[in-house]
Amino acid sequence: MAGDHLMLAPICLIENNNGQFMVNQEALQVLRTFTQPLVVVAIVGLYRTGKSYLMNKLAGRRTGFSLGSTVQSHTKGIWMWCVPHPTKPNHTLVLLDTEGLGDVEKGDNKNDTWIFALAVLVSSTFVYNSMGTINQQAMEDIYYVTELTDKIKAKSSSRTEQMDDSMELVSLFPDFVWTVRDFILELEIDGQPTTPDQYLENALKPKKGTSEEAGMCIQKFFQNRKCFIFVPPASKKKLLEIEQLHDDELDADFVESAENFSNHIYNKAKTKILPGGAMVNGPRLGNLIENYVEAITSGDIPCMENAVLALAELENSAAVQKAFAVYEKMMRQGIQFPTETIQELLCLHDICEREAINVFIKDSFKDVDQKFQKALENQLKAKLDEFCKQNERESQDRCTALLQDIFRPLEEAVKQNAFSKPGGYNIYLQQMRELQEKYNQQPKKGIQANKTLEEYLKSKETVADAIKQADQRLTEKENQRREQERQAQAAAEAARKMEMELRRQEQINQEIQRRQEEERRQMFERMEAAKRRLLEEQERERTRKLEEEARKIQEEHNRAMAEQLQRLQELQRQCHRHRSGDCTIS
């Protein structure tokens, strides 16, 4: 955003010390704080004609630029006042009040011509302020315009190209506003009412005398022209204290004209544009002013082309630096060293490069043949090479640190001769493979991961060969020792088998004897069991016979008892029959 600096009062921008111009560096620093587009309004005119009053009016203040109340010129050099533009957001209105022309105290008019030329060079709207009427005397007073082609060049061309150069000036000159002060005549031409603009155009028509050349120059160089007529603001007595007067204390027509003038400047005055279309801001205007004043003080003729090229050189160089800084900042914010692939770095570079070039294009102008853009691209390429090398270094450093950390236990084991044993080489190789796998699984190793690992493994080849040779020697001895142990173990095994066979045979004999004794015991037990079964059978047979005899006896007894019972029952029936027939038993 534009500088928020607020100027409370004007400051001298270009100092004039006895005809020697010098840029006030303090004012230049102030001007450079305004980075918004500028509408630059410069006012020029004879001294003691009320220029400062109009500039204070544009600033929206009654005081500011020195008005003065004597016949001496108060303003020396060129004074500047930067204020927020009333009608154009994000624009700054730069008001330039110049020292009065025709001051008898200056002795010659060379100084005035340069003041006039500087005002034309730096403004987008040029206001010429005069008194009375636009007559032949007024045209003679503005003869400075006739010397513009001698004081200003559009291009650093030869004299044979002067006509083309003058035509170029036309497109670069500011809009022209003529303010006529203390106008007391009727505004008419040939007895007919006319407008201020028509009055000006009529006055510029060719007439005999010096005024003819001045009018033609104004018509030639200033394509957009405007005129404002001001009646006297107040009585001479009141004019001495005009800074304290309010609008209701001034002539109504004067107040209206001042208001119309201000509205025209606010609404019609253009932004200061450089050849090629670039808008002027505070830093650019400051550089132009320095260039023009330097040319004047060194005796040269200010050249717009040279000034713009010098400005382009400065701004394009600054734009390159700014764009490069943007690129470097974006790269450092976006990159995390080391990158896994070079493509990751290149993709980020492409994004940052495009943004940097956009920044450069935005802040640069008149980059002939893309000289500065190519320089920027070369710087970005060189910086990319630095980033690539840094990426490689970061990757190598990380990978080296990882390898040292991961393989440290293995290296310690090698120092402790942990692999100086048969089979140690295979164990060493197995651990190497496991640690390589662990290394490969680590993230963020970068593009040097494989190369660093290969170099590390290559550096350990002599260690591996030493372990392998030691393994071979120790394995041979171990094989001999194992063969001896095998033979001893075979003899011991044979003796053990012999002893086991004797024990087995003894166990077999003992088992045979145990079985024989068991068979004898079982035979005795079978005989005893048979004897017991025989006795038991005999006992059962005797018991059966006894039981059979007892059963028969019981049956006989039961049959006898049944017969007796039957006879008794029969007797009872007979008795019963006799009773029925009154019969008694005898």
Side-chain angles (χ1 to χ4, degrees), residues 64-108:
F65 290 110
S66 177
L67 302 185
S69 59
T70 68
V71 295
Q72 289 183 313
S73 174
H74 269 226
T75 303
K76 294 295 182 182
I78 298 179
W79 285 65
M80 172 188 72
W81 199 353
C82 301
V83 297
H85 199 288
T87 62
K88 291 185 178 182
N90 301 318
H91 282 65
T92 297
L93 179 61
V94 180
L95 304 173
L96 300 178
D97 188 13
T98 64
E99 67 179 71
L101 306 179
D103 187 354
V104 295
E105 294 183 1
K106 290 187 288 190
D108 58 45

Side-chain angles (χ1 to χ4, degrees), residues 159-225:
R159 299 297 295 179
T160 59
E161 298 172 318
Q162 184 173 1
M163 181 58 68
D164 293 336
D165 189 70
S166 64
M167 294 303 295
E168 184 76 17
L169 287 173
V170 172
S171 64
L172 301 177
F173 271 22
D175 292 345
F176 181 85
V177 176
W178 195 323
T179 54
V180 184
R181 309 296 291 276
D182 294 352
F183 187 84
I184 58 176
L185 301 178
E186 291 295 330
L187 191 59
E188 58 182 33
I189 300 175
D190 297 331
Q192 297 296 322
T194 187
T195 64
D197 291 342
Q198 292 170 338
Y199 174 68
L200 172 62
E201 295 305 315
N202 184 68
L204 295 179
K205 290 180 180 179
K207 297 180 180 65
K208 294 181 179 180
T210 308
S211 60
E212 179 180 354
E213 186 179 358
M216 291 177 62
C217 286
I218 293 175
Q219 289 178 313
K220 176 182 178 180
F221 293 125
F222 300 100
Q223 297 296 299
N224 297 319
R225 298 180 293 275

Side-chain angles (χ1 to χ4, degrees), residues 274 278-281 283-288 291 304-318 365-366:
L274 294 173
M279 287 189 175
V280 173
N281 55 19
R284 287 178 176 175
L285 183 60
N287 288 334
L288 287 175
N291 186 280
M304 289 185 177
E305 181 183 49
N306 290 343
V308 172
L309 289 176
L311 176 60
E313 190 83 14
L314 288 173
E315 291 221 1
N316 291 340
S317 297
F365 73 99
K366 292 188 76 66

